Amino acid sequence: MKKYALALVALVLTFLSSCGGVGKRQSAVNQLERGMTKDQVTALLGAPRNKSVQEDGSETWDFSYMDLLDRHLRVSVTFFNDRVTKYDSHRTDHDHRDNQSPVIVTTPPAIPPQGHIPPATRGRGYIDSRVYEEEARAFELFLEDVRRIPFDDERIGFICSVARRSLFTVEQASRLIAPFRWDEQRLTILEALTPRLRDGYNAFRLIDLFSYGSGKERARQILEANPPIPWDYDPRSMGQMEEQESFEDFVRAVERQTWDKDKINYIRDAAQRNSFTVQQVIRLLKLFTWDNERLPVLEAVAPRIRDGFNTYKLIEYFDFQDAKQKARRILGLTE
């Protein structure tokens, strides 16, 4: 009998050890961070129970743990481009002694997706229910275009030119800087992005991207020379258009104008109190036939574009090289 009891104890201990215990797994969950790789997550949590892939390319891993005390822990981790963008955990502890209600422990919400700032600070502008998601995807598309450029010098030049007409979060800046191997390359990009950081009070985190003391010191000097942009300043979103007027309503109002000159003036007036996405600007440019009509439209809305890192895509909507060059100057893509 004693031999069986010892075997049973050994079996229980083996089971608890294999499960790791919910408490031990919760400690591992607490070490999760946004930006981790899949290998790092696997090292912490083991293999997922389920995997799912969404249409936007993001992938979600689901983990589930249970121990002999009937404690349950469920974890969901979302990856984009093989990096953690979001994670949640749900833990339930059942206390059979007094039948108390389950205790639910949830990790703090992740930082909002890239490209987002709190709605209260955004102003009005032509924002519909899809804009927040579109802006998050817009940066990912820009990042893909950066990655497709074969040479480092060209990639750096592209990032610096786009930075003149956009704002970035510290996380976005980190994702642009980190792939480069040398501190000198990273410093060049940091210098271009720092004046355009929307959450500059977090910029000190970028110092850790530099390998050597001299690089870290130069990065610190660049950041100190550029005070953070106040939250109430954002050239994309200072508009005051009535909320009930959607962008589609605005386009129909432009189309009702009789002459092209009147359409251009109508857009100019709206641009004084609104902001636009690149896709919305494309819609406006397509309302006109000739480059000499599109250029004044672009000039009116260019300072009001929200996703400035995609403005280079507007160049293709002009027919002639002279107009394309003028469009680049309007967008700040050339000196």
Side-chain angles (χ1 to χ4, degrees):
M1 179 65 71
K2 184 177 180 180
K3 184 181 296 184
Y4 289 132
L6 290 173
L8 179 60
V9 170
L11 179 63
V12 169
L13 291 175
T14 301
F15 178 78
L16 285 172
S17 176
S18 65
C19 292
V22 164
K24 185 177 180 180
R25 292 297 185 181
Q26 182 68 63
S27 298
V29 170
N30 293 340
Q31 297 177 52
L32 284 173
E33 293 182 2
R34 299 178 76 242
M36 280 185 167
T37 65
K38 291 180 178 179
D39 288 342
Q40 290 172 320
V41 173
T42 302
L44 279 175
L45 303 180
R49 180 179 291 270
N50 295 301
K51 294 182 181 181
S52 60
V53 179
Q54 285 70 48
E55 291 184 359
D56 63 356
S58 61
E59 184 175 349
T60 299
W61 289 7
D62 295 315
F63 301 83
S64 181
Y65 311 101
M66 182 181 70
D67 60 20
L68 292 181
L69 299 178
D70 201 21
R71 295 180 298 188
H72 299 261
L73 177 62
R74 294 179 178 85
V75 185
S76 175
V77 182
T78 300
F79 300 88
F80 195 91
N81 286 340
D82 294 329
R83 295 281 180 174
V84 174
T85 58
K86 183 176 68 173
Y87 58 91
D88 296 290
S89 70
H90 182 104
R91 174 174 166 178
T92 305
D93 292 350
H94 294 283
D95 191 336
H96 298 292
R97 293 173 300 176
D98 53 12
N99 290 322
Q100 291 179 345
S101 299
V103 177
I104 298 175
V105 180
T106 305
T107 57
I111 299 170
Q114 297 132 1
H116 290 200
I117 56 176
T121 68
R122 294 186 64 89
R124 295 177 186 264
Y126 291 111
I127 297 181
D128 58 36
S129 60
R130 298 168 298 175
V131 165
Y132 296 107
E133 291 79 10
E134 287 175 357
E135 290 190 1
R137 287 194 295 269
F139 178 77
E140 299 301 331
L141 293 173
F142 166 62
L143 197 58
E144 289 177 11
D145 286 342
V146 171
R147 289 168 176 163
R148 278 195 286 265
I149 298 174
F151 301 109
D152 284 352
D153 288 347
E154 293 178 4
R155 282 206 302 273
I156 292 170
F158 180 55
I159 293 169
C160 292
S161 67
V162 170
R164 301 190 193 106
R165 184 60 76 182
S166 190
L167 296 178
F168 301 85
T169 64
V170 167
E171 182 186 6
Q172 289 170 343
S174 177
R175 295 177 69 192
L176 290 170
I177 294 170
F180 291 89
R181 295 180 58 190
W182 310 112
D183 279 357
E184 283 302 318
Q185 297 172 320
R186 294 176 174 179
L187 286 167
T188 300
I189 300 172
L190 180 68
E191 200 156 17
L193 297 183
T194 298
R196 314 301 299 163
L197 292 178
R198 195 182 303 137
D199 54 338
Y201 43 80
N202 285 323
F204 66 91
R205 298 175 181 174
L206 297 174
I207 296 173
D208 292 336
L209 296 174
F210 295 85
S211 306
Y212 302 101
S214 58
K216 290 179 183 292
E217 183 57 32
R218 177 64 184 135
R220 190 173 288 108
Q221 292 171 0
I222 292 171
L223 295 173
E224 289 175 353
N226 292 273
I229 298 174
W231 271 109
D232 57 359
Y233 171 76
D234 189 338
R236 308 171 314 159
S237 55
M238 296 165 61
Q240 298 298 323
M241 179 65 71
E242 294 298 324
E243 289 182 350
Q244 63 266 25
E245 181 173 17
S246 70
F247 180 73
E248 296 303 323
D249 293 332
F250 171 64
V251 170
R252 285 191 287 270
V254 174
E255 291 174 329
R256 285 196 296 270
Q257 307 303 308
T258 306
W259 308 105
D260 286 340
K261 181 176 69 174
D262 295 330
K263 293 179 181 179
I264 294 170
N265 287 333
Y266 193 91
I267 294 171
R268 280 183 177 139
D269 291 340
Q272 295 298 315
R273 55 189 189 277
N274 262 287
S275 58
F276 305 84
T277 65
V278 165
Q279 288 301 315
Q280 290 171 341
V281 175
I282 290 172
R283 289 279 306 282
L284 296 177
L285 293 178
K286 286 182 175 180
L287 297 176
F288 299 89
T289 305
W290 309 108
D291 282 349
N292 63 352
E293 297 162 343
R294 296 171 185 148
L295 284 169
V297 172
L298 183 66
E299 195 164 20
V301 301
R304 318 295 297 159
I305 294 176
R306 289 196 293 274
D307 52 333
F309 34 77
N310 280 321
T311 52
Y312 64 94
K313 296 181 179 180
L314 297 171
I315 304 301
E316 65 185 87
Y317 292 91
F318 292 85
D319 297 323
F320 298 100
Q321 287 302 318
D322 181 59
K324 289 179 185 288
Q325 188 59 30
K326 289 179 180 177
R328 289 190 184 94
R329 286 197 294 269
I330 291 171
L331 295 170
L333 300 178
T334 58
E335 297 291 350

